[in-house]
Amino acid sequence: VQRDDLLARLTAALSPTQVRAGDAVAEEELGDESLAAPAPARPLAVVRPRTTAEVATVARLATSAGVALVPRGSGTGLSGAARAQAGSILVNFAEMNAVLSVSASDHVAVVQPGVTLRQLNEHLIGSGLHYPVHPGELSGSLGGNVNTNAGGMRAVRHGVTRHHVLGLELVLADGTVLRTGAPVVKSSSGYDLTQLVIGSEGTLALVTEVTLRLSPVMPERATVLVPFATLEGLAAVVPEVVAAGLEPSMLEYLDLLTMSAVTQAAGIELGVPVEVAAATGAYLVVLLETRTAEQLERDLADLAQLVGARGALDLYVLSATVGPRLIEARERAFWVAKAAGADEIVDVVVPRSRVPEYLAEAADIAARHGGFVSGCGHVGDGNVHLSVFAPEAGARHALLHDLFAAGLARGGQISGEHGIGADKRELYRHLSDPALLALQARVKAAFDPRGLLNPHLGVGA
Ligand SMILES: Cc1cc2nc3c(=O)[nH]c(=O)nc-3n(C[C@H](O)[C@H](O)[C@H](O)COP(=O)(O)OP(=O)(O)OC[C@H]3O[C@@H](n4cnc5c(N)ncnc54)[C@H](O)[C@@H]3O)c2cc1C
């Protein structure tokens, strides 16, 4: 296929309403939520396939014309990965949005990639089951979640996306359709290509179906707020809460500034007495979920004793209305940081025992470069989310370099869940072992020999 013919061939193969170009392309579907990645450029076309066969046709035609493909879910990603590139084909999965099946006995759901988290959760209401991975933005799609290996607040108990994907249907760049994995809980049957594709940021294959593992819903729950005098003091208690076997469903920290900003934005009154609030430097939020009310009472008492002995200023069990509202407000922290003018959001992950020293060093690094960091995060996973305020590009680059290098030096990783994307491309490549990058490039070449899937990203390049 000649490059000039590609648009006509795509329109002939799909329907004209599924292939848009020029002014018919809406600006909203070209970007994602990255604060710092290069702006989206005009693609050759946006296609909206409805079936796997259509995806395969799009891939085959684009590859034969040598045109890059940018897969897109809901565009809620924070790393610039799904941003349209000049002259590329943006594959928008929004219309492949059916929940194909749910098996209550096998605890398995099969979904198309454009199904959103909100849609899946709503579909499962009344089944006694839920999909327990909870990245804060529920409009995100399962295809996007798979490709970023999305994490979120429930990872401390349930793990991340990769722990809940049993199999995938894939379309390779040349149009080959294949299945990996199976709806079973174990497999020892060759390379685990499912896991290789998870977190690959759309650089290896187009995901056209996802087989997910579900979990039983725990009926009893309590949201607990624990103020601490310092962030470091809070972070030091976290490994003990995890080790106590309380299995919290969420274990989040919010520094003082972030807590004030998100509660104010959401209009929530937490009811913390003035004298306690005045002494507080950071808040721990714990969600406990159990099968029985008795177990919940016991776990609450154990948690109170544990944190009380380790410097908590107090402990509040929030009401059934305020608890969920606080969690929702915490989910909106990104929008609050964006509205406050944050220049970048980083999500470095370190072993949870090293969070206190990492947070202290992050504050020093920011100050050294004339910037400022503030945030919240999945402290039970060692995953901090720092809003970086550093408007001058050179200083910001140096600041981010040092934040990533400090995370790596503590046995961590540059991104816990948002991905490398276009955003962190240069620093990721600069800070990674060349042998690792070379092996990733060979894996990429095995899936996508012409390098047409998301070639603008740092992974697999
Ligand atoms: C307010 C807010 C809160 C957030 N909180 C969290 C959080 O707690 N935890 C977390 O992990 N993330 C969080 N995120 C980030 C984001 O929601 C996740 O990265 C999510 O997985 C992106 O899904 P998406 O459908 O929007 O993907 P997109 O942004 O559209 O795409 C993400 C990546 O997946 C690829 N892709 C998408 N669909 C496919 C497909 N079918 N086949 C191949 N590749 C594909 C894209 O090319 C891109 O590389 C948050 C974002 C916002 C805005």
Side-chain angles (χ1 to χ4, degrees):
V1 176
Q2 296 299 307
R3 210 172 262 255
D4 293 346
D5 297 338
L6 182 58
L7 202 52
R9 293 287 296 272
L10 286 170
T11 312
L14 281 67
S15 71
T17 56
Q18 291 172 269
V19 182
R20 281 174 292 148
D23 291 345
V25 172
E27 207 59 49
E28 305 82 77
E29 70 182 317
L30 300 184
D32 70 357
E33 295 300 337
S34 165
L35 296 180
R42 299 302 291 183
L44 177 68
V46 174
V47 298
R48 288 177 162 248
R50 296 187 183 131
T51 62
T52 299
E54 288 181 349
V55 176
T57 302
V58 171
R60 191 169 37 75
L61 291 174
T63 292
S64 64
V67 167
L69 291 157
V70 177
R72 184 182 199 269
S74 302
T76 70
L78 296 172
S79 70
R83 289 194 169 175
Q85 302 298 302
S88 66
I89 303 291
L90 186 101
V91 186
N92 184 337
F93 283 96
E95 291 184 30
M96 288 182 74
N97 62 352
V99 176
L100 298 173
S101 65
V102 173
S103 164
S105 43
D106 292 330
H107 288 190
V108 166
V110 181
V111 302
Q112 288 190 308
V115 167
T116 66
L117 282 166
R118 180 175 289 111
Q119 187 189 345
L120 179 60
N121 288 341
E122 284 171 4
H123 191 95
L124 293 171
I125 288 173
S127 69
L129 297 170
H130 69 149
Y131 175 62
V133 186
H134 189 83
E137 181 51 53
L138 298 182
S139 66
S141 72
L142 268 306
N145 284 185
V146 165
N147 276 280
T148 57
N149 187 25
M153 293 205 258
R154 290 178 176 272
V156 64
R157 177 165 178 175
H158 293 285
V160 298
T161 303
R162 75 166 69 259
H163 303 119
H164 296 270
V165 177
L166 302 172
L168 297 170
E169 181 186 71
L170 302 175
V171 173
L172 302 183
D174 66 4
T176 305
V177 180
L178 62 115
R179 283 178 176 275
T180 67
V184 292
V185 294
K186 63 205 301 195
S187 166
S188 179
S189 314
Y191 293 154
D192 196 337
L193 300 176
T194 307
Q195 291 298 329
L196 191 52
V197 169
I198 296 169
S200 67
E201 303 189 42
T203 62
L204 297 183
L206 299 152
V207 172
T208 48
E209 196 181 286
V210 187
T211 301
L212 296 165
R213 190 159 64 95
L214 306 174
S215 304
V217 175
M218 294 289 132
E220 303 294 332
R221 61 176 57 89
T223 312
V224 182
L225 180 67
V226 192
F228 282 84
T230 65
L231 187 49
E232 287 74 22
L234 175 156
V237 176
V238 165
E240 294 186 35
V241 176
V242 176
L246 294 165
E247 297 198 333
S249 296
M250 297 182 185
L251 203 48
E252 296 285 308
Y253 86 93
L254 293 91
D255 66 21
L256 200 52
L257 185 64
T258 305
M259 181 60 108
S260 313
V262 301
T263 49
Q264 201 171 24
I268 303 175
E269 188 39 72
L270 293 173
V272 178
V274 180
E275 62 283 7
V276 178
T280 298
Y283 288 94
L284 184 66
V285 178
V286 188
L287 177 68
L288 294 176
E289 291 180 311
T290 60
R291 215 161 48 80
T292 65
E294 296 72 37
Q295 184 66 51
L296 187 61
E297 282 308 313
R298 275 201 300 276
D299 287 354
L300 279 170
D302 289 351
L303 177 67
Q305 196 184 25
L306 195 161
V307 296
R310 294 298 311 270
L313 299 174
D314 207 339
L315 178 144
Y316 309 99
V317 180
L318 300 178
S319 73
T321 28
V322 174
R325 283 187 66 204
L326 176 60
I327 288 166
E328 215 172 290
R330 154 67 189 93
E331 283 169 6
R332 297 192 58 77
F334 167 76
W335 303 118
V336 174
K338 184 177 176 181
D343 298 294
E344 178 61 299
I345 304 284
V346 302
D347 77 313
V348 169
V349 60
V350 294
R352 69 169 75 87
S353 62
R354 307 197 72 176
V355 170
E357 51 183 291
Y358 183 72
L359 285 173
E361 191 176 356
D364 288 347
I365 290 170
R368 199 160 67 229
H369 293 286
F372 172 71
V373 291
S374 169
C376 53
H378 316 306
V379 69
D381 313 335
N383 193 190
V384 305
H385 287 355
L386 296 172
S387 304
V388 177
F389 296 84
E392 200 276 309
R396 183 168 68 246
H397 187 81
L399 194 164
L400 292 173
H401 172 278
D402 291 359
L403 281 183
F404 296 155
L408 290 168
R410 284 176 174 72
Q413 296 268 282
I414 289 173
S415 170
E417 54 185 24
H418 297 161
I420 301 303
D423 221 2
K424 309 179 195 75
R425 179 186 166 115
E426 304 315 327
L427 286 171
Y428 172 74
R429 299 191 67 76
H430 174 67
L431 291 166
S432 296
D433 177 359
L436 184 88
L437 294 176
L439 182 57
Q440 288 196 52
R442 298 215 300 276
V443 171
K444 160 86 173 161
F447 277 77
D448 173 21
R450 295 186 66 181
L452 294 174
L453 284 168
N454 274 348
H456 59 297
L457 301 188
V459 172

